[in-house]
Amino acid sequence: MQVKTDRVAFTDGTGAQVTVADLRGGTRGVALYFIRAASCAICVRHVKDLAGLRLDDRDVTPVVVVPGGEAQAARVRRVAGPVRVVSSAGAEAHHTVGLPRAMLVQQSGTLLVDAKGDVRYRLAATLPTGGFDAAALTAAVAAL
């Protein structure tokens, strides 16, 4: 599936709208982890795992995308450490990148978008245990 990241917009902690290009900034890329829900314990564990990868040291910006509004994003920010947390209206951003609801469960997943805006790695899963793979993401970052 071809993902159009230029169509995806988020809200940051200040209420400002940001795009994938804004999140990439001048870095080699951005790793976007789309969690299923702020209340998902497995997703929260993966947020901590993402923080532990220290992608900033490799000039890749790690970002967690939370479905819902600022209250949900604030809940995740408390455990995200240095990882930026943004939200989307409902699950709009999730759906735009091909992470729909399946069997009444919001899919989670990870995208690595390079400096040009091309998706270089994509992982999607209905069960939250499959939406993040630290080793695979680290390998994709190394291949940038």
Side-chain angles (χ1 to χ4, degrees):
M1 171 186 185
Q2 181 69 1
V3 177
K4 297 290 185 184
T5 60
D6 56 341
R7 296 183 188 157
V8 185
F10 312 100
T11 303
D12 71 8
T14 68
Q17 290 290 316
V18 293
T19 65
V20 173
D22 297 329
L23 295 170
R24 274 193 334 264
T27 66
R28 292 176 48 218
V30 61
L32 299 160
Y33 173 48
F34 292 79
I35 68 171
R36 183 177 69 82
S39 59
C40 173
I42 294 168
C43 294
V44 170
R45 186 184 74 214
H46 289 323
V47 168
K48 293 175 184 177
D49 294 341
L50 178 62
L53 294 179
R54 301 177 53 111
L55 296 178
D56 286 331
D57 292 349
R58 298 180 197 134
D59 202 25
V60 172
T61 304
V63 178
V64 175
V65 181
V66 179
E70 178 53 31
Q72 291 84 2
R75 182 176 179 178
V76 175
R77 267 187 209 101
R78 288 192 289 271
V79 298
V83 175
R84 187 165 184 185
V85 177
V86 297
S87 62
S88 69
E92 182 180 329
H94 286 62
H95 298 174
T96 302
V97 300
L99 297 170
R101 285 188 173 273
M103 300 180 289
L104 302 177
V105 176
Q106 175 59 57
Q107 286 190 334
S108 60
T110 309
L111 294 179
L112 177 62
V113 182
D114 70 14
K116 295 185 294 183
D118 295 330
V119 175
R120 300 284 297 270
Y121 169 80
R122 181 178 188 275
L123 179 66
T126 300
L127 295 176
T129 54
F132 181 80
D133 183 327
L137 179 58
T138 300
V141 167
L144 282 179

